[in-house]
Amino acid sequence: MTPGPGRPTVSVVIPVLDDAPALEGCLAALAAQTRAPDEVIVVDNSPGAADEATAALARGAGARVVRETRRGVGAASAAGYDEARGTVIARLDADSRPAPDWVETALRELADPRVHAVTGPGTFYDIPGLRGLLAALAYHLPLRAVGWSMGHPPLWGSNMAIRTCAWRAASEVVRRDDPLVHDDLDLAFHVGERHHIRWLLHTDMGISMRPFGSGRSFARRAWIGARTVLDDLAAERGEPLDAEII
C-alpha cells in the first residue's frame, strides 16, 4: 500500500513462540480491518530452529517474518519494533482478536498531536458472560494501578499503538534482554517520561485466558510487573536495579 502525502503508515508487530494456531486467528482479524495495516511483522521467537509452521502461515497471510533467538517477549517485541517501516507501530499478541476498527481507532486517537501512544483493555473471549467480565476487571485493575504509580497510563502489549518516533527515543534505554522484565511496563515508563500515553476505555480487543490459567502463572506475571516498575523507579533515582520484592 502506497501512502499518500501526510498519511500515517502502520506496522503491526506480533511476537510469537510456537503458536501458529492462535496466530491464524489474529492474522484473520487483521485482514478484516476497516483500515488495513501497511505491514504486519511476525517475530519468531523460537530458541532453536526456526518455527516453519509459523513462518509459512505468516508469509501466506502476507506478513513479514523476523527471527529473534534471544528468549523473551521483550527481545522479540523490540526486534519487531526495530524492523517497523511505518510511522505508527501497533502491537498485538498471537491470541489477540482485534475488532475490525482497531487500526482505524488507533490512528484516529494518534491524530491528536499531543498523543504518542494509545492502549486499552481487553476481554477474555474464552470466558463467557459475567465471569469473563469479572476476570478482565481483575486483570486490568492492577495494571492500571501500576500505571498510576508511574504517573501515567501503562502500555498493554496485547492492545497498543505507538508513534515510531516515540519507540526510537526509548529504544536505547528499554531493557530488551532481560526475560524477567515486563516489556510493556518498561516501555511505558520510558515513553511516559516525555510523551503522552492515552488509555482508551472502549476498545474491543479479545484475548485468551490461557496465559492466566493458573494462580501461579498470574502471580508470576504480577511479580514481574512489580519488579519492573520498582527497578525503573530505582534507576530514575540513581539506585541499583533489581529491587527485591517480598
Side-chain angles (χ1 to χ4, degrees), residues 100-182:
D101 63 347
W102 178 65
V103 171
E104 183 180 347
T105 298
L107 289 179
R108 183 175 64 246
E109 296 294 331
L110 288 170
D112 184 340
R114 299 168 298 176
V115 179
H116 280 72
V118 294
T119 192
T123 56
F124 296 113
Y125 52 73
D126 45 6
I127 306 180
L130 180 60
R131 193 164 64 95
L133 176 62
L134 293 176
L137 287 173
Y139 176 67
H140 286 294
L141 286 178
L143 184 66
R144 289 302 308 275
V146 168
W148 295 330
S149 74
M150 295 189 291
H152 53 76
L155 289 170
W156 184 48
S158 294
N159 181 13
M160 76 178 202
I162 180 173
R163 295 183 191 273
T164 302
C165 60
W167 162 249
R168 302 283 185 241
S171 64
E172 296 299 320
V173 292
V174 294
R175 290 176 284 154
R176 59 175 74 197
D177 295 325
D178 185 348
L180 292 181
V181 165
H182 193 299

Side-chain angles (χ1 to χ4, degrees), residues 1-3 7 9 35-39:
M1 185 180 296
T2 302
R7 176 183 179 276
T9 51
R35 195 304 197 175
D38 297 275
E39 68 170 349

Side-chain angles (χ1 to χ4, degrees), residues 19-46:
D19 207 6
L23 178 64
E24 185 174 12
C26 183
L27 294 174
L30 287 174
Q33 292 293 299
T34 55
R35 195 304 197 175
D38 297 275
E39 68 170 349
V40 177
I41 299 171
V42 172
V43 184
D44 175 13
N45 196 215
S46 302

Side-chain angles (χ1 to χ4, degrees), residues 12-102:
V12 177
V13 172
I14 313 171
V16 180
L17 176 61
D18 302 325
D19 207 6
L23 178 64
E24 185 174 12
C26 183
L27 294 174
L30 287 174
Q33 292 293 299
T34 55
R35 195 304 197 175
D38 297 275
E39 68 170 349
V40 177
I41 299 171
V42 172
V43 184
D44 175 13
N45 196 215
S46 302
D51 181 355
E52 297 299 340
T54 293
L57 175 66
R59 293 190 179 106
R64 183 155 58 102
V65 178
V66 172
R67 279 280 287 149
E68 177 53 71
T69 56
R70 292 174 298 174
R71 285 298 300 272
V73 66
S77 298
Y81 302 156
D82 287 342
E83 289 286 331
R85 299 166 180 160
T87 57
V88 170
I89 300 170
R91 160 73 196 280
L92 290 170
D93 287 321
D95 64 346
S96 296
R97 300 294 182 269
D101 63 347
W102 178 65

